[in-house]
Amino acid sequence: MQLDFFPSRTLTLYLAKMFAVRILAMLFVLVLVLMMLDLLSNSGKILAVDGNGQGELLTYAGLRIPQLIARFLPYSVLLATLITLVTLNQNSEVIAMKAAGLSAHQVLAPLLLTAGLVSLVTFVFNETVVTRSTETLKAWEAVDYGPIPTESGVRTNIYLNDNGNILTAAYLAGSGEAIAMRKVTWYRRNAEGMIVEQVDADRALYAAPGWQLEDITRFQVQNAVTDQPASMVVGEGLTPEQIDLAKIDPDSEPFWTLTSSIAEFERTGRRTSELRAKWWHKISGPLSAFLMPLLGAVAAFGLARSGQLFVRAVIGMALGFAYFVVDNAALAMGSFGGYPPFLAAWAPFMLFLLIGETVLIRTEE
């Protein structure tokens, strides 16, 4: 093996350009197909709201496409790896490069460099674009695709307990005493835990203490009577500080703000293993693109005329998809405390890095 990791500048640019074009092509195809299927599934819900039309469908697509890009970019890198390496193998370009004295790692070096840049771009894209689109889309879904909430710091599906009574909200925005909750439901329960009253309200504001409900509809279970009181204050034991920490959505918070949110959770003695696992995965997740050329490298080597090229491509695809399965399983285990957060996020990456290197060294070096 030569000491120079990269081949010549011309060959490096040739392989990197070929690989990058195929990544973009595969990403475009995947996102286009999946976006069409997603619109077929959700367009009925969006258009069911009075006033929604083509503009809202385009808005939904604009919010959903960044999520699809973030989720399927590593798959695109895997497919582009297989297509690139199979093409090079069939055209005997790999044989020519090895005959010129290049090692297997040197052949893969331009692809690994490109995949590393993709990982870096993915991290920045996830934390600056995807988190914002996810926050907006979840808030829009919480209001059943009605008018899109314009507030910042929106959190959805809030569930709070006040001495046995339950307060839920489709979403809330703001912080401190300026918190406003929308589509609120208050369940008052007796000592036995049975619901004796249900109050639905369009909006709830902090009343110091308690929460002032607006546009109220109350249902009393005992006599099955529905009325609409002018005003009502509930949840006097719930403070803005408690509601600020009611829920953290790691998918909607950038890496740098999630760090402070986790620290605040830990200060109050709350369980943070799920948040910690997601925090670490914000780093290890984008790096999955860097692994794909290594896991798909088995398709690059071996004689194309031996009849095993298709088998090698299938093995490379199997290794790549096995990584995604193990990664999702480990993250799920870390979310409920089965694995330590660091191990849940990084163990799959390190395991398949070693597997890819072992296969490459044992078969080609």
Side-chain angles (χ1 to χ4, degrees):
M1 183 185 298
Q2 298 180 4
L3 295 179
D4 294 333
F5 187 65
F6 289 97
S8 67
R9 180 176 182 273
T10 301
L11 186 57
T12 298
L13 293 176
Y14 169 72
L15 294 175
K17 180 180 178 181
M18 177 187 296
F19 187 42
V21 169
R22 282 160 174 76
I23 291 175
L24 293 176
M26 293 308 305
L27 181 62
F28 176 79
V29 171
L30 285 176
V31 171
L32 180 63
V33 173
L34 293 169
M35 190 66 248
M36 291 175 60
L37 295 175
D38 195 283
L39 280 175
L40 287 174
S41 176
N42 293 295
S43 59
K45 301 176 185 177
I46 298 172
L47 296 177
V49 179
D50 291 337
N52 283 359
Q54 182 179 352
E56 282 68 27
L57 291 178
L58 293 176
T59 299
Y60 177 81
L63 295 173
R64 191 77 175 95
I65 285 175
Q67 295 181 335
L68 295 176
I69 292 175
R71 177 169 297 180
F72 291 98
L73 183 56
Y75 295 91
S76 302
V77 176
L78 173 62
L79 296 175
T81 297
L82 296 174
I83 293 173
T84 301
L85 296 181
V86 167
T87 302
L88 292 173
N89 197 345
Q90 284 182 325
N91 295 335
S92 299
E93 293 177 85
V94 174
I95 295 176
M97 286 185 280
K98 297 196 73 175
L102 298 183
S103 67
H105 283 85
Q106 287 177 309
V107 173
L108 292 177
L111 276 65
L112 292 171
L113 174 63
T114 304
L117 293 176
V118 169
S119 296
L120 179 61
V121 171
T122 301
F123 175 79
V124 176
F125 179 74
N126 288 350
E127 304 310 312
T128 57
V129 178
V130 179
T131 51
R132 293 180 181 178
S133 65
T134 299
E135 178 184 355
T136 303
L137 184 56
K138 286 186 175 182
W140 195 21
E141 291 174 344
V143 295
D144 299 325
Y145 301 107
I148 299 178
T150 58
E151 304 96 331
S152 60
V154 174
R155 285 165 284 171
T156 60
N157 299 323
I158 307 302
Y159 180 95
L160 301 161
N161 190 312
D162 178 33
N163 296 323
N165 302 317
I166 304 299
L167 180 66
T168 67
Y171 76 91
L172 64 81
S175 61
E177 296 188 1
I179 289 178
M181 292 185 279
R182 296 293 303 273
K183 302 187 71 172
V184 179
T185 302
W186 168 258
Y187 299 97
R188 186 168 64 86
R189 301 195 293 186
N190 59 21
E192 288 76 30
M194 302 294 292
I195 296 177
V196 297
E197 185 179 71
Q198 176 181 331
V199 181
D200 295 315
D202 180 68
R203 185 179 175 90
L205 301 173
Y206 186 54
W211 297 86
Q212 179 77 40
L213 303 182
E214 300 177 356
D215 296 333
I216 305 167
T217 300
R218 179 173 59 186
F219 175 74
Q220 298 179 11
V221 176
Q222 183 175 3
N223 50 15
V225 172
T226 300
D227 61 350
Q228 294 180 327
S231 63
M232 188 174 181
V233 176
V234 301
E236 295 185 359
L238 297 174
T239 63
E241 290 76 15
Q242 290 175 296
I243 295 180
D244 274 335
L245 297 176
K247 185 179 181 181
I248 294 177
D249 184 4
D251 296 329
S252 302
E253 286 203 30
F255 178 81
W256 37 88
T257 61
L258 183 59
T259 304
S260 58
S261 298
I262 292 174
E264 188 65 21
F265 254 50
E266 290 178 340
R267 186 184 64 82
T268 59
R270 304 279 290 276
R271 179 176 174 271
T272 60
S273 58
E274 179 180 2
L275 296 176
R276 279 287 178 189
K278 292 290 183 67
W279 185 83
W280 281 114
H281 197 261
K282 282 179 175 286
I283 304 174
S284 64
L287 280 176
S288 60
F290 178 77
L291 273 182
M292 295 303 108
L294 191 60
L295 297 179
V298 66
F301 307 101
L303 295 176
R305 297 174 183 174
S306 66
Q308 296 183 353
L309 182 58
F310 176 75
V311 176
R312 284 175 168 268
V314 170
I315 293 173
M317 184 174 294
L319 285 173
F321 279 98
Y323 166 77
F324 294 117
V325 172
V326 173
D327 183 54
N328 289 331
L331 188 61
M333 292 288 289
S335 295
F336 63 80
Y339 290 164
F342 181 84
L343 184 65
W346 286 101
F349 178 85
M350 299 305 299
L351 173 63
F352 279 84
L353 178 65
L354 294 176
I355 290 175
E357 277 292 335
T358 301
V359 171
L360 188 60
I361 293 174
R362 291 291 299 271
T363 58
E364 301 303 329
E365 295 290 14

